[in-house]
Amino acid sequence: ATLNRFNRMRSITLTGNVAAGYSLGQVLDFLEKTVRKELPPEVQIGYKGQSRDYKDSSGSMALIFGLALLIAYLTLAAQFESFVSPFVVMLTVPLGMIGALAGLWYTGATMNIYSQIGVIMLIGLAAKNGILIVEFANRLQREGLSKREAVHRAAVIRLRPILMVSAATIAGHFPLTLVSGAGAAARNSIGLVLVGGMFIGTLFTLFVVPSIYLLIARDHGRDRAREAAVAPEGSPAGNASAEGGQARNLPDSRR
């Protein structure tokens, strides 16, 4: 009675739901392989709805994720005036990704366009914990503490703010994992990514960021010692160094 057309071509429409234990990507791969195997080569495949959104976003997801990381890194580099400190902060992002994938795997959810949006959001949320530690440790170093003392004190003092912010973020997104009805799949995917990523990422951040900071971060105390060593005679740094040397050469009774 009717001749359906899609993109000006005679067409038939296949509609279905994704079975439990499979992702939308696996379903579309199976569809494409079956069409190439069973139908003539001139047959073309078009997509609608979530399938079309998935295909459109899959090709650009890697580019968008890379640009988001680059923009976040450059922003932090301008803030810290360093290229090393932002690298320490950005190490929290892979830790958050581990938590996001773990949340999807544990609940049987799939990586779709909505979970991909959650992954992009997780970049900023996960980096926030690292910023709290690194920024405060740099400040303590500039105040005269050694690198080890600075990062230890920063991790201890910033523990409460990190836990409070992470708990608030998790509590705010946890209801998304419990919703049902129309549009529940989208909300569940975003909620699982954010809750899992923040929970696991926070636990790892408290240990990994201070360790990496201690290994590769800039040592401000060493920089101060180098500046004092090369300071010209007559400058405040040179006078302080000379007076210190004279004090060390004095007998104990005159110190």
Side-chain angles (χ1 to χ4, degrees), residues 91-100 102 122 125-127 129-130 133 162 166 170 193-209:
L91 287 177
T92 58
V93 176
L95 301 178
M97 298 299 106
I98 294 175
L122 193 60
L125 295 175
N129 295 334
I133 295 178
I162 289 175
S166 299
I170 293 173
V193 168
L194 296 179
V195 171
M198 287 300 298
F199 181 76
I200 301 297
T202 300
L203 295 181
F204 282 109
T205 297
L206 298 175
F207 300 96
V208 173
V209 170

Side-chain angles (χ1 to χ4, degrees), residues 156-216:
V156 172
I157 295 177
R158 292 300 196 188
L159 174 62
R160 183 178 179 182
I162 289 175
L163 294 180
M164 292 177 63
V165 172
S166 299
T169 303
I170 293 173
H173 293 98
F174 186 75
L176 295 176
T177 65
L178 305 177
V179 297
S180 58
R187 297 180 177 89
N188 289 339
S189 298
I190 296 177
L192 289 172
V193 168
L194 296 179
V195 171
M198 287 300 298
F199 181 76
I200 301 297
T202 300
L203 295 181
F204 282 109
T205 297
L206 298 175
F207 300 96
V208 173
V209 170
S211 301
I212 300 301
Y213 182 91
L214 192 61
L215 290 175
I216 67 175

Side-chain angles (χ1 to χ4, degrees), residues 29-80:
D29 289 341
F30 174 79
L31 170 65
E32 293 171 358
K33 292 179 181 179
T34 304
V35 169
R36 299 308 177 205
K37 180 180 179 181
E38 302 293 339
L39 297 181
E42 62 269 15
V43 173
Q44 300 182 12
I45 304 176
Y47 299 95
K48 291 182 178 180
Q50 293 187 16
S51 300
R52 183 172 183 174
D53 294 337
Y54 178 83
K55 284 293 185 180
D56 292 342
S57 63
S58 297
S60 58
M61 181 60 190
L63 177 61
I64 294 174
F65 187 78
L67 288 176
L69 287 176
L70 179 62
I71 292 173
Y73 178 81
L74 294 178
T75 303
L76 293 175
Q79 176 184 351
F80 288 108

Side-chain angles (χ1 to χ4, degrees), residues 7-150:
N7 289 338
R8 298 183 178 182
M9 300 177 64
R10 293 274 300 273
S11 66
I12 60 173
T13 301
L14 302 179
T15 304
N17 296 321
V18 180
Y22 295 92
S23 66
L24 181 59
Q26 292 175 316
V27 172
L28 297 181
D29 289 341
F30 174 79
L31 170 65
E32 293 171 358
K33 292 179 181 179
T34 304
V35 169
R36 299 308 177 205
K37 180 180 179 181
E38 302 293 339
L39 297 181
E42 62 269 15
V43 173
Q44 300 182 12
I45 304 176
Y47 299 95
K48 291 182 178 180
Q50 293 187 16
S51 300
R52 183 172 183 174
D53 294 337
Y54 178 83
K55 284 293 185 180
D56 292 342
S57 63
S58 297
S60 58
M61 181 60 190
L63 177 61
I64 294 174
F65 187 78
L67 288 176
L69 287 176
L70 179 62
I71 292 173
Y73 178 81
L74 294 178
T75 303
L76 293 175
Q79 176 184 351
F80 288 108
E81 297 181 353
S82 169
F83 290 105
V84 178
S85 295
F87 178 75
V88 178
V89 172
M90 297 304 294
L91 287 177
T92 58
V93 176
L95 301 178
M97 298 299 106
I98 294 175
L101 296 177
L104 295 176
W105 171 80
Y106 182 77
T107 58
T110 61
M111 180 62 73
N112 50 48
I113 184 172
Y114 304 107
S115 55
Q116 292 173 358
I117 294 174
V119 168
I120 300 298
M121 295 174 59
L122 193 60
I123 294 177
L125 295 175
K128 175 175 69 279
N129 295 334
I131 294 174
L132 291 174
I133 295 178
V134 173
E135 186 273 336
F136 195 57
N138 289 341
R139 186 194 309 174
L140 292 177
Q141 281 204 73
R142 287 191 290 269
E143 293 177 357
L145 271 67
S146 66
K147 185 164 69 170
R148 178 181 293 274
E149 292 174 343

